[in-house]
Each structure stands twice: as structure tokens, then as C-alpha cells.
């Protein structure tokens, strides 16, 4: 990956593409690329939907190679939801294809001159812009169905649904998977609205004529990658739990821990949790059958295979396998325990282009406000439909959890920096509470996944109810995650590399073999610190200081059943997270 593609949507006569060398961005990929470009080129005080903001798309450093589980891609911008910097991560095929085409990044910039919608084709020998207003207000699945006969199924589509077109603060960017379905989403922070503000409906990434990226040191790369895969297969989480039950293996675990947020974060256990569990889901998928039903990868070359395909009782495709966060957000959080309903809501979110965490949390707030009752399945479906169609109520819901709570006069908005908390109550798992509060991204479990150590006892053992050790745990995981997000390796490899030193070493040596480097573990840590410093500096310039690194006060005041505990990590501890 030796070049950057810039797309100026405000150029005279329509969008124009220019290709440039990496320059100061050499050696960067994924989150390192997106965050450093945004921090360097985007005024922190700009409006997220204004012409000064930029959308940066960057495959990880290892994407497009034979490195296992390395096809993740980052999307970065100033977030319409948080007002700070944003990196949203997605699987699917596009990251691999962009890397094979040689692009370390696509930077979409400028101000659209008209209301036209553009389709962008990016292939080996040409880049083409096409005005196509027939795509207007097409949901993602309908869009892919329309483009498939034109471009075939060997391309990847990066697209926005209706939410992104309407520039909703809860809007995603979809990426097609191996089956050419738009199921992989850069979900958090409203990145779809930024793409919509640039007047681009979809990018077609065509790898025809390209080959897999070759490593500098073939022997080192091959041997290290083999050892890395063996390590992933050997670990209980990446080799057994995730392939068998998907991410939803966590439902029973978190419910037992008393940290499964229920009824808009009112309780830590859900009476019908077993109906939503990964075990129940896998049994149902295996019983119904169908291609890729219970175990599937989100992109080619994945050794973990934590995804799947969900079919209805008649064998019809209903959605990708709903992940843990989705079964929680649309399930237990809303008092719903029907997996078929959760899968339908998951499909609707993917189709319209909504983040399932944000939408489920928003509906939970609407339920507490009395818009519909907890457990109202038809009502939940109706609310997502209203949001996807942009009705007046739908516009409120599409603006996210914080705005919805404000509109209905509720204190109980489980958000940090305007972004909804995922499926772990910070009172029951205090390490993740520290991450929610302090990450540059707004409430985000993936930014520093303390569940690994607090609950699963991966990489050590820190009592989830204790105050001591949580800030240090979150800090270390945030640094490691920032670096991992730059590589293109899936976050789930962290389970194996935290527990198995040889697997961690093999991962580093795979990178070294790819690039002819002699990078050490200390270099990985420094990369993570550099990314976080840049993100932190951007947020401070955007007006997000340490006073914003806090949970809502009611988490300190209201005890969570069944353990009857509050979030009591002192502010001084939160402020210490970035002392590096």
C-alpha cells in the first residue's frame, strides 16, 4: 500500500480523484492512518457535516496479505454524534481489496456542489464517478441487489443506507461480506452521515487484476503466520467459544456476573436471558440449517469464524447472525427475548444503516419514556422503521440515545460524550466503566475491552467490583487496542495474544516479515500511545476535556441489582488514565 486516493467532492465539474504518495503518512494504516489524518487535516472546531470535515477510509497494515484474520478496515472523521474524533471499524471484503489495489487510504473531502448522489468505482486501471439519483433513499440491501447485475459479486460495496443520506447522527457505513451482503458496518459515531454530507452513496471496490500482497521476508512471514494461526486455534475463546457460539456466548456469562444491562440499564440480570443466549442461538441456527448458519467469517482468511447466518423457520435468510451487542440492545435491554425479532431488527438496522448498539439503547430510552412498552416487539420494529423513513419521531430516534432522552425529558441516558453504552453495565464491570468514560471515542467497549480481564480472566484477573486496578487496566488495553486497530488484525485476536506470549510474538513477527522490520513489543506500545495522544489532542481542541471523561451521575447514585453497587471509581483515577 503505497498511495493515497483523494476525492474532492467540491471540484469544478464534479468530484475529482487524485493519487499521491504517502509522504508524512508513510507506515500508517487503519486507525493510525484515519486518526492522524483527521488530527492533522480537519479543524477540530468544524461542524461534522460541514465542508471542512473529511472521511478517511484506511485498510489495516496487514490487509490484502495472507496474514490470518487481518481484513479489518477503519473509517475516521469528526463524529456528528460525539463532536470528537471517531474511528469506526468494519470487516467485510473491502479492506482486503483496497489494500491489494495499493491504497493505504481514501480521503473524501470538500463540499458537494449539488444535491446529486454519486457512485464511485475504484478499480486497478480507472476511477470513475457516476451521478446516479436512482439510488436515492435505497436501503443497503436494495442497493446491493441493484448493483450486483452491473458489477458482479467479486467486487465489494461500501455504502450508506437511508440514515446516512438523511445525515442522522446514528448512521453507519456498510461493507459487503463474502456473500455480497451489506452486513459489516462501521457502526459507531455517525460516520454514515459524513459520507452522506459528501454526496457519495456508494463506492465499488473492484480487485480484478490484482494479486495478494507479498511479504518482504516470505519465510519469516509464512512461519510466523502459521504459528499465529495455531495460537488462535489453541486458545479457548478464539478456538472454541467464538467459533461455536459467536460473540453471543457472552449473554449467559454477563448475566451471571450481574452486569447485563436490562430495561435501559435498570437491572444487571434479565429473567429471560437464556432465550437470547449464544447457546440458544447456535442450537436454533443448527436446527434450521442453511449455508454458513452457525459458523462463518466476516471476510476471507479469518481463522476465528465468529459470525454466522440466521434463517427463519422456513429457511429464508433473515439476517447475519446477530452479535452479542445486538441481542442485548434489541433484546434484554428492551425486555424482548425472541431471537427472530432480534434478527429482524438487526436486518432493519443493517438495511437502513443504523448502529445496533445506538438504536437499541435509543429504543430502551423511548420505552422508559412511555413511547412504547418494554417488551413490545411490534412497537420496536415500528420505531426502527420510522427512523429509517425519517418521520418526525424517526428523526428524533435517528439522532441517537442522548437526543432522544433530552426530547422526552429523561435523565436516564446511558451515554458518554453523546454515544450510547454497549452491553456491559459499568457498575457491574468497573474496568469497562473506566473505558467508557475516558476513551476518545465516546462510550465504546472495543476501545479498551476490560471484560477480558474483569470477567473472562484473560490476561490476568482484576476484580470487576473493585476500584483498585481499573484505571491501569483500561489504560493498558486502550493503548494495545489503538495499535491493534492500526494493523487490520481483528480485535478478537487479543484474547489469544494477551494469554499466550508466543502468539503475541508470532503476530509481531508476521508484521515484521510483511514489512522487513524488526519491531518489538515496546514499539507496538509506542504506536498505541501515539494514536491516543493525537486523538486526545483533537478532542481537547474540539472542546472535550477531562470533565467530559465521566459517566452520567446516576451511575454513581443509583445502585445496580443484584449486587447493589454503584460506579465509584474516583474522578482522580479517571484523570490518570492518560498519564503516559
Amino acid at each position: 500500500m503505497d498511495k493515497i486516493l483523494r476525492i474532492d467532492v467540491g471540484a469544478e465539474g464534479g468530484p475529482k480523484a487524485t493519487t499521491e504518495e504517502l509522504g508524512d503518512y508513510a507506515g500508517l494504516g487503519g486507525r493510525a492512518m484515519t486518526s492522524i489524518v483527521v488530527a492533522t487535516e480537519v479543524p477540530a472546531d468544524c461542524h461534522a457535516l460541514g465542508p471542512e470535515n473529511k472521511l478517511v477510509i484506511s485498510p489495516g497494515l496487514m490487509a490484502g496479505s495472507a496474514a490470518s484474520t487481518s481484513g479489518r478496515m477503519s473509517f475516521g472523521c469528526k463524529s456528528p454524534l460525539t463532536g470528537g474524533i471517531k474511528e469506526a471499524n468494519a470487516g467485510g471484503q473491502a479492506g482486503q481489496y483496497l489494500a491489494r489495489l495499493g491504497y493505504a487510504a481514501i480521503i473524501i473531502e470538500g463540499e458537494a456542489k449539488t444535491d446529486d448522489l454519486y457512485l464511485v468505482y475504484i478499480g486497478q486501471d480507472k476511477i470513475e464517478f457516476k451521478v446516479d439519483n436512482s439510488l436515492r433513499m435505497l436501503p443497503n440491501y436494495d442497493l446491493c441487489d441493484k448493483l450486483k447485475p452491473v458489477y458482479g459479486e467479486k467486487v465489494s460495496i461500501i455504502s450508506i443506507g437511508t440514515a446516512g443520506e438523511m445525515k442522522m447522527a446514528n448512521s453507519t457505513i456498510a461493507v459487503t461480506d463474502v456473500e455480497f451482503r451489506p452486513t459489516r458496518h462501521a457502526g459507531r459515531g455517525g460516520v454514515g452521515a459524513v459520507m452522506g454530507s459528501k454526496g457519495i452513496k456508494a463506492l465499488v471496490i473492484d480487485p480484478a487484476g490484482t494479486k495478494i500482497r507479498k511479504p518482504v521476508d516470505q519465510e519469516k512471514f509464512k512461519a510466523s503466520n502459521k504459528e499465529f494461526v495455531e495460537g488462535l486455534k489453541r486458545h479457548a475463546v478464539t478456538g472454541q467459544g467464538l467459533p461455536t457460539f459467536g460473540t453471543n456466548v457472552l449473554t449467559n456469562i454477563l448475566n451471571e456476573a450481574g452486569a447485563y444491562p436490562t430495561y435501559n440499564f435498570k437491572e444487571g440480570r434479565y429473567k429471560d436471558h437464556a432465550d437470547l443466549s449464544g447457546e440458544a442461538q447456535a442450537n436454533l441456527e443448527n436446527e434450521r440449517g442453511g449455508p454458513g448458519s452457525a459458523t462463518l467469517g466476516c471476510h476471507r482468511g479469518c481463522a476465528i469464524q465468529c459470525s454466522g447466518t440466521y434463517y427463519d423457520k422456513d429457511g429464508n435468510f433473515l439476517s447475519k447472525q446477530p452479535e452479542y451487542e445486538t441481542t442485548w440492545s434489541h433484546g434484554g435491554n428492551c425486555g424482548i427475548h425472541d431471537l427472530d425479532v432480534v434478527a429482524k431488527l438487526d436486518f432493519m438496522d443493517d438495511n437502513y444503516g443504523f448502529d445496533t448498539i445506538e438504536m437499541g439503547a435509543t429504543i430502551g430510552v423511548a420505552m422508559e419514556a412511555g413511547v412504547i412498552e418494554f417488551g413490545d416487539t411490534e412497537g420496536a420494529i415500528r420505531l426502527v422503521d420510522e427512523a429509517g423513513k425519517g418521520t418526525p419521531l424517526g428523526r428524533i430516534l435517528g439522532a441517537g440515545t442522548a437526543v432522544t432522552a433530552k426530547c422526552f425529558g429523561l435523565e436516564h441516558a446511558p451515554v458518554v460524550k453523546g454515544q450510547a453504552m454497549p452491553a456491559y453495565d459499568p457498575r457491574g464491570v468497573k474496568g469497562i466503566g473506566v473505558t467508557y468514560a475516558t476513551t476518545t471515542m465516546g462510550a465504546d467497549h472495543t476501545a479498551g475491552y476490560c471484560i477480558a480481564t474483569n470477567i473472562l480472566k484473560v490476561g490476568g484477573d482484576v476484580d470487576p467490583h473493585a476500584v483498585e486496578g481499573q484505571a491501569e487496566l483500561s489504560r493498558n488495553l486502550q493503548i494495545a487496542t489503538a495499535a491493534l486497530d492500526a494493523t487490520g488484525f481483528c480485535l478478537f485476536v487479543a484474547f489469544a495474544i494477551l494469554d499466550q506470549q508466543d502468539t503475541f510474538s508470532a503476530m509481531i513477527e508476521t508484521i515484521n516479515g510483511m514489512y522487513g522490520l524488526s519491531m518489538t513489543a515496546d514499539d507496538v506500545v509506542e504506536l498505541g500511545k501515539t494514536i491516543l495522544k493525537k486523538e486526545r489532542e483533537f478532542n481537547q481542541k474540539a472542546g472535550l476535556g477531562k470533565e467530559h471523561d465521566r459517566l452520567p451521575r446516576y451511575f454513581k447514585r443509583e445502585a445496580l441489582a443484584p449486587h447493589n453497587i454503584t460506579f465509584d471509581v474516583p474522578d482522580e483515577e479517571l484523570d490518570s488514565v492518560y498519564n503516559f
Side-chain angles (χ1 to χ4, degrees), residues 1 28-30 57-61 63 72-74 95-96 98-99 103-105 486 488:
M1 301 186 296
L28 302 179
I57 305 172
S58 178
L61 290 168
R72 304 293 296 188
M73 182 168 57
S74 294
Q96 303 277 30
L98 275 176
Y103 293 111

Side-chain angles (χ1 to χ4, degrees), residues 267-446:
E267 302 170 15
R269 284 185 178 149
Y270 180 45
K271 61 182 177 61
D272 295 312
H273 68 95
D275 294 344
L276 296 169
S277 69
E279 292 84 347
Q281 182 172 276
N283 288 338
L284 185 61
E285 288 173 344
N286 286 325
E287 176 186 314
R288 290 177 175 177
S293 57
T295 303
L296 190 69
C298 77
H299 65 267
R300 291 187 181 92
C302 173
I304 299 176
Q305 302 280 303
C306 72
S307 190
T309 311
Y310 194 96
Y311 299 92
D312 67 18
K313 59 183 176 58
D314 298 316
N316 300 307
F317 172 81
L318 193 52
S319 183
K320 68 177 184 301
Q321 177 175 282
E323 297 194 28
Y324 167 63
E325 278 74 21
T326 305
T327 61
W328 160 77
S329 66
H330 282 307
N333 184 56
C334 294
I336 292 171
H337 56 100
D338 185 331
L339 280 170
D340 283 352
V341 172
V342 169
K344 181 176 177 63
L345 291 165
D346 185 40
F347 173 86
M348 293 175 71
D349 284 342
D350 284 353
N351 203 22
Y352 287 134
F354 290 119
D355 174 35
T356 61
I357 296 172
E358 193 73 41
M359 183 54 72
T362 300
I363 292 174
V365 164
M367 286 174 163
E368 183 172 336
V371 177
I372 59 175
E373 298 295 321
F374 281 104
D376 183 354
T377 58
E378 291 303 318
I381 291 168
R382 185 178 71 253
L383 291 186
V384 175
D385 201 39
E386 290 213 35
K389 292 177 178 176
T391 68
L393 174 58
R395 285 280 188 173
I396 292 172
L397 299 170
T401 305
V403 168
T404 299
K406 183 178 289 187
C407 287
F408 286 100
L410 291 182
E411 180 192 12
H412 288 154
V415 302
V416 178
K417 300 180 182 73
Q419 182 166 280
M421 295 177 186
Y424 316 90
D425 197 294
R427 293 162 290 192
V429 188
K430 292 180 182 178
I432 205 70
V434 174
T435 295
Y436 288 167
T438 61
T439 172
T440 53
M441 298 294 161
D444 184 349
H445 62 299
T446 65

Side-chain angles (χ1 to χ4, degrees), residues 76-272:
C77 59
K78 177 173 180 174
S79 167
L81 189 70
T82 71
I85 201 164
K86 174 53 61 180
E87 183 265 355
N89 206 275
Q93 290 295 103
Q96 303 277 30
Y97 293 169
L98 275 176
R100 284 167 49 183
L101 286 164
Y103 293 111
I106 299 173
I107 301 174
I108 303 173
E109 55 194 1
E111 181 177 22
K113 298 297 186 184
T114 69
D115 291 332
D116 287 324
L117 278 182
Y118 280 87
L119 179 71
V120 184
Y121 172 88
I122 301 172
Q124 186 179 32
D125 299 318
K126 71 174 180 178
I127 297 164
E128 188 174 71
F129 298 94
K130 178 183 177 183
V131 175
D132 192 345
N133 291 312
S134 71
L135 306 178
R136 192 174 301 280
M137 292 300 284
L138 277 184
N140 285 307
Y141 274 88
D142 302 75
L143 173 75
C144 289
D145 286 344
K146 183 167 184 173
L147 296 181
K148 187 188 298 184
V150 180
Y151 297 102
E153 296 184 41
K154 294 183 179 180
V155 302
S156 184
I157 307 295
I158 300 173
S159 65
I160 54 173
T162 60
E165 275 192 61
M166 291 185 284
K167 306 178 188 65
M168 290 180 170
N170 175 16
S171 58
T172 67
I173 297 175
V175 181
T176 50
D177 59 21
V178 178
E179 291 75 33
F180 202 72
R181 294 169 177 153
T183 64
R184 307 298 146 184
H185 287 248
R188 312 231 66 196
V191 293
V194 178
M195 186 162 156
S197 74
K198 302 301 183 186
I200 293 179
K201 177 67 174 178
L203 299 98
V204 179
I205 314 300
D206 187 352
T210 66
K211 296 180 180 180
I212 196 167
R213 295 173 62 209
K214 297 297 183 184
V216 172
D217 187 333
Q218 178 72 36
E219 290 186 11
K220 176 186 283 190
F221 176 88
K222 186 175 180 180
S224 300
N225 188 46
K226 180 181 179 183
E227 186 178 354
F228 179 54
V229 172
E230 289 171 350
L232 295 178
K233 297 290 188 183
R234 188 170 73 244
H235 194 272
V237 176
T238 52
Q240 300 169 36
L242 287 171
T244 304
F245 301 114
T247 61
N248 200 17
V249 69
L250 289 165
T251 293
N252 283 339
I253 295 171
L254 267 296
N255 194 77
E256 177 62 26
Y260 185 81
T262 305
Y263 303 117
N264 191 28
F265 285 76
K266 286 293 180 60
E267 302 170 15
R269 284 185 178 149
Y270 180 45
K271 61 182 177 61
D272 295 312

Side-chain angles (χ1 to χ4, degrees), residues 215-218 220-221 224 508-517:
V216 172
D217 187 333
Q218 178 72 36
K220 176 186 283 190
F221 176 88
S224 300
I508 293 176
E509 289 306 306
T510 303
I511 299 171
N512 285 338
M514 185 69 197
Y515 286 93
L517 303 173

